[in-house]
Amino acid sequence: MNEMTTIAKTTTLKDWETDQEVRWCPGCGDYAILKAVQRTMPEIGTAPENTVFISGIGCSSRFPYYMETYGFHTIHGRAPAFATGLKLANPNLDIWIVTGDGDGLSIGGNHTMHLIRRNLDCQIMLFNNEIYGLTKGQYSPTSRVGTTSPSTPYGSVDRPAQPAAFALGAGARFVARGFDVSKELPNVLKAAHAHKGAAFIEIFQNCIVYNKDVFEDFAAPKGAEDRQLWLKSDEPMLFAKGTKGIALDVDALNLKVVDVVDGDWQAAGVIVHDVTNRSVAHMLVEMRFGEFPMALGVLYDDPRPTFEADVWRQNKAAAEGKTADLQSLLKKGQTWTVTEGGPEL
Amino acid sequence: MATAVEDRATTSPSPLSDAVVVRFAGDSGDGMQLTGGQFTLSSALAGNDFATFPDFPAEIRAPQGTLFGVSAFQINFGSSAIDTAGDAPDVLVAMNPAALKTNVPQLKQGGLIIADEGEFNDRNLAKAKYESNPLEDGSLAKWQLLKLNISQLTMDAVKPFGLGNKEALRCKNMWTLGLALWMFDRDRQPLVDWLNAKFAKAPDLAAANIAALNAGHAYGETAELAGPLKQHHVDPAPVAPGLYRTLTGAEGIALGLVAGAQLAKLPMFFGGYPITPASAILHHLSRLKEYDVTTFQAEDEIAAICSAIGASYGGSLGVTSSSGPGIALKGEAMGLAIMTELPLIIVNSQRGGPSTGLPTKTEQSDLYQAVYGRNGDAPMPVVSARSPGDAFECAIEAVRIAVQYMTPVMLLTDGYIANAAEPWAVPDLTTYEDFPVEFLTEVPEGGFKPYGRDENLKRPWVKPGTPGLLHRIGGIEKELDTGHINYAPENHQAMTDIRKNKIDGIKVPDQIVELGAEGGKLAVVGWGSTFGPIHQAVRRKRAEGADVSHIHIRHIWPLPANLGELLKSYDTVIVPEMNTGQLKTVLRDQYLVDAKPVNKVSGQPFTIAEIEAAIDGAL
C-alpha cells in the first residue's frame, strides 16, 4: 500500500501553479525554490491531486498556497506531526513538508527529529536563511555567532545548529543540500522524491531583507567551482574543475582537501562518493566551510523500511483472522446475564 | 461540610443495611486493586448493584509500608440502586499499619476493622508513624476490631505448595478475598475459575492462591462463633434483565469512540501521549486494530493532536486524548482545527490541577479550559460524561457532532470515571442510528467552494487525493466560501460570526430533569462524575419530602436550548462541582440566574452527605 496507485498524467509547470498572488519580498530566494519545485514536479510524474504540501509558520511556510496541489498551512513547528497523521491515514499521498530554520529546528526541532527517526516517507525541504524573516529579522538557531539582529543588538552568542548534521544524527536515511538559485536543485529534489522514506533537504535560501547574501561566500556564481563540492553517486569527490578533491586523512580520521595533479585523482587518494556510506556522510555534514568547500547534492541515501509501511503491516497482521464485530467486543470480558431468576455467568 | 460527614457517621447505625461499603486497603504491592476488582465481579454475580472507587498512589512503587504507598479500593454494593462508591465504609480491611492509619478516619463509627496483625510489627508501625500499636492501645475503641494474623494464616494455607516466603505472602490478598466472600455469602467458584485461567501456565501458583482463598473462607465459617465477624447477605438489586459487564470509564470512552467511528463509517486515527489518567484509553484502542483503528504514540502532546488533525484532514476520524496539562499544550492546535473546520475528538480525563497537580486524583476543574481555553474567539462543543456507561454514549455523541458540523469536540471525563467500574447493560448496537459521512468527491453545481456551507453551516470534507477539488487550508483567516487567505476587516467579522453561529446552532437534546419536577424550590445542577452523589442525595431528600430536583448537564457547550427557562423555574439553583465554581459561572453568564456554588477541590469525589448538607443549607 505504499506504492503510488494513481497513474500520473503528464503535467506541465503551469499545472502546478495556483492563481494566488505570491507574497514574498521581491528578490527573495523562495521564488527560485518555488519555480524549481514547480518545474520538477512534472518530471517526477506524480499527480497534483495526490500531492500534499504541508508547512508550519514562517516565510517558507506560505509555500503551499502557491502549489496547485492539496495543501495545509499548519501551526508553528508542527508540520511533521500533521504529515505523520496524514500519511498514516493515507499512505498513497505524496507528502512534501516545507519548513525553515526557525520552524523546523527551533520551535519544531522535536518533531523534525522524530519524523526523521521514524522514517516517514516524505520530503522535508528546510529553507535555511539563518534568520527569522516573518517576525522581522531576529537571529535563528542557524545564525552564525555574532549575528546582530533586533533581539541580539550586541551580536548572538549561541552556537548555530547544523541542519544536515542534525538530520543525520536523528537517523536520517537521506540527506541532501542545495541552494535557492542553483541549477542543480531540481536534481536534488528528484533524488529526494525517489528515496522511499524521510528525505531531508537543506536548501540555503537568501533572505534579501534581513540576512542578505549570507551564503555568497560559497553560492556566488563567481568562483563557485572552487567553493562548491557537488557530490555525485559513484563519482570522485572533485571540485575546482577537477584540480582538488576530498581524501581521507587517515592519521586524523577525518577528511582533507588534496590537490589533484593531471587529473589523476586516484593517485591523490580522492574518495569515490558512496551515498550509502554513513560514516563518510557524518564527515561530509561536519565539513567546515572555508577549510573545505560546501558539500552539496545528495550526501547520503540509504533507504530503510518506512514508518507508515510498518504501521500498516502491523495493523494488518494484528487484524488477521479477526472480525470487526463490535457487538461481540462489547460483550467481551467478565459478563453475566440477569434473568428473572437472577444473575448468572 | 466536613462536619456534616462526621454528624452522619456518628448517627449511622452500625448493623449492616441493604447497602454495604467495603474498603480494601494495603500496600501498593498487596494487590488491593485486584482484590477489589474480583470482589466487584462477585458482587455483580450476586445480583447487587454497585459502584467502585479505586484510590491508588501516584508513585510507581512507593517504598513498602509507607503512608504514601497505600493503595485502596472501595466498593458500595446493595439491593437497591447504587450511584456512588459510598461515603463512609462499613468494613475496612487494613493489610498494614499505614493502610489503617490513612483509611480508618473515614470508617463509620461502629464499623468493622479487619487488620492483618502479622504486619503490625515495630518496623511497619514506625513507617506508619504510629507511636504505639493501635491494635493494642485502645485507640480504635469506637470501631469493632478483628485482628488476624493473615500473613501467618496464608503461609500455613499455602505451605503444601512449597512456595518461597515472598511468593507465599503474595497469596494474602486471596486469603482476604476468601474471608470477604464468606462475609457476604458469595460463591467462590467464579474466582476459582478465574485463578485457574490466570495461572494456567503456573498450576502451582493457581493451586496456592485457591488454597488461600478457601482458607480465608473456611476461617470465616469456623470463627463466626464469637466476636464481630458475622455473615451478611445482601439481596440482589432489581435490575432489568439483560447481559451485563463491568465497565470502567476508560473502556467506555474507547468502545464509544469505536462505535462512533463505525456509525460514521470512518476509520479512526488516535494520536496520544502517555499521561495519567488518560493513558488507559490509548492502551485499550491500541488493541483494536481490526476495527480500523490506528493508534500512534506521538513524541509529545502537541504532536499527538496535530497528527490526529492530519489524519482527519486525510479523511479519518482523528482522536486525541489527554489530561489537563496535556490539553493545555494542545490548545493552539485546537484553534487550527476550529479555523480549518475539521472534525476531531479531544478527550480530557480531568485530574487535580493546576500544573502537574494531583495526577491520580479527580477534579472537574478544566471546564473553563474546555469552553474558553483557546486564543481568539474559538468556540468548540463540549460534552461531558457522568459515569463509565455514560462515557460510551457521550463518545458516540461527540463523534456525531464532530462529523455533522465539521468541528473539533471536547469530551470531558475525569480520573474518577476513568478508573471507577460499574455494571453496564451491554447495549444493542442495532438500536443506534448511524450517521455516515459523505465526502465531497466531485465539483458540485455552482462550483467548488472549500468554505461553502450547508444548512448546518458545515463546510465540505474533501480527502486529499480527490481529483478536481484541489485546495489549500490553514490557520490564517479564511475568505468566505473560497477559503483563500483574507485579512479584510469585514471578512474576519463574517467568518467569526459563522464559526460562532455554527457551534451555537448545534442541535442538542433538551435538558431533562433527572429526579423531581420542572420548577420548584431547589434545583441541584451538576455535570460529570458528581452525578452519583447528587442523585443519591436528592433521592434521599425527596424521600424526606423536600422540594428538590436534580438536573445533570451533558452538553456543556452549546447548552441545551431549554436550560435557561428550566433553571429560572426554581427558586434556588445550587451547582456542586469539584472546582471553585466553573459551571456556576457559565450558567450565570448565559442565563443571569443566581446559581450558587457548592465546591470541593480535594481530589476526592463528593460524598452524598456533603450534597445533602448543601441541600439542607439551600432550602
Side-chain angles (χ1 to χ4, degrees), chain A residues 116-127:
Chain A
I116 290 171
R117 165 181 76 80
R118 293 190 184 104
N119 197 29
L120 190 87
D121 182 24
C122 64
Q123 293 72 244
I124 309 148
M125 296 191 291
L126 187 142
F127 297 9

